[in-house]
Amino acid sequence: MASNARLDHRNPLVIDTHELGRRPGAMQRLTREVDAPRDLGIEGVVGVPEGAPLELDLRLESVMEGVLVTGTARASAKGECVRCLEPVGLELEADFQEMFSYPDADDRGRVIAEPGDDAEDDEDRQYIEDGLIDLEPLLRDAVVLALPMQPVCQDDCQGLCSECGARLTDAPDHHHDAVDIRWAALQGLADTMSDGEKDEMSGDVPRSARADEKQEK
């Protein structure tokens, strides 16, 4: 469990639960708009720009073992189409829910002297620290799950031409005449034969043929 000193009540993503109290059944609703933290999203693909408005609707419920936080985050995300590299904008709505445990209570709400000795259990569990809870790790996970792994500008985006990089959606008839080098030699032979046929049709007779004709006479 991390030290209490790391949480700052001035951080807009840190929630103070003192007003909620520890009486099971107590509930508190919060609505706030904060600046999006840095790197909120899928790095290099799509995410919420740092400092962009991030709306949070939260419900805090006091239970035996801690505080159950249920919420929704809304923001505008930006990214790049994975097919044509055009800018992509989308409206994000991410739902999340997490139990924040009291550091002096077990899963059944019973008070214990020290947090659990099981390292894995402690890593998976979120704790309330001096009455404060940090929503940032929870929010980051929820946003990543809500964002598309491969954003596209439109469902039928055709991507870019592999030859020249043109955006194919803007030019559906775009194409390049490609010549297979394996047929290049045959194409040259065909052109030579065509030239010979043209000579015969034009009446040109080779010199050797004319010489043979004279000898016969």
Side-chain angles (χ1 to χ4, degrees):
M1 184 176 64
S3 170
N4 295 345
R6 76 181 182 88
L7 292 187
D8 183 353
H9 68 278
R10 294 170 297 181
N11 185 331
L13 291 177
V14 171
I15 306 298
D16 191 334
T17 67
H18 286 100
E19 185 178 340
L20 176 68
R22 294 184 63 160
R23 181 173 60 85
M27 184 177 70
Q28 183 181 14
R29 291 185 180 275
L30 297 174
T31 300
R32 59 177 59 180
E33 182 177 299
V34 303
D35 292 340
R38 183 179 180 182
D39 300 328
L40 184 60
I42 305 172
E43 186 177 359
V45 180
V46 62
V48 180
E50 181 179 2
L54 181 65
E55 297 179 4
L56 298 174
D57 289 331
L58 305 172
R59 185 181 68 188
L60 281 60
E61 299 177 76
S62 180
V63 295
M64 289 290 293
E65 63 269 29
V67 175
L68 178 65
V69 177
T70 305
T72 300
R74 299 181 181 87
S76 295
K78 295 182 179 180
E80 198 175 72
C81 177
V82 296
R83 298 178 187 172
C84 70
L85 308 183
E86 286 291 308
V88 173
L90 55 91
E91 295 304 311
L92 168 72
E93 183 170 304
D95 297 324
F96 52 88
Q97 186 176 70
E98 184 67 50
M99 170 64 70
F100 288 82
S101 301
Y102 296 123
D104 57 352
D106 64 10
D107 290 337
R108 296 183 180 181
R110 297 175 300 189
V111 175
I112 55 178
E114 296 292 339
D117 294 331
D118 190 329
E120 290 188 10
D121 184 60
D122 284 351
E123 287 180 2
D124 294 337
R125 184 180 299 180
Q126 299 293 328
Y127 286 97
I128 300 171
E129 302 179 12
D130 194 23
L132 303 176
I133 57 178
D134 185 7
L135 295 181
E136 186 169 337
L138 172 62
L139 182 62
R140 288 187 180 279
D141 291 344
V143 167
V144 168
L145 291 175
L147 288 170
M149 296 296 293
Q150 294 187 319
V152 292
C153 58
Q154 56 190 66
D155 292 339
D156 59 349
C157 176
Q158 300 298 309
L160 302 177
C161 174
S162 60
E163 294 286 335
C164 65
R167 190 167 182 262
L168 299 178
T169 303
D170 297 333
D173 296 330
H174 179 84
H175 70 281
H176 294 272
D177 293 330
V179 178
D180 193 328
I181 59 174
R182 294 172 299 179
W183 296 99
L186 292 178
Q187 183 63 44
L189 179 60
D191 293 341
T192 302
M193 293 178 64
S194 297
D195 292 340
E197 292 175 356
K198 290 179 180 179
D199 291 341
E200 292 180 1
M201 294 180 63
S202 62
D204 293 338
V205 180
R207 290 183 178 180
S208 58
R210 290 199 297 269
D212 292 342
E213 184 177 352
K214 288 181 179 179
Q215 289 178 1
E216 291 177 358
K217 292 180 178 179

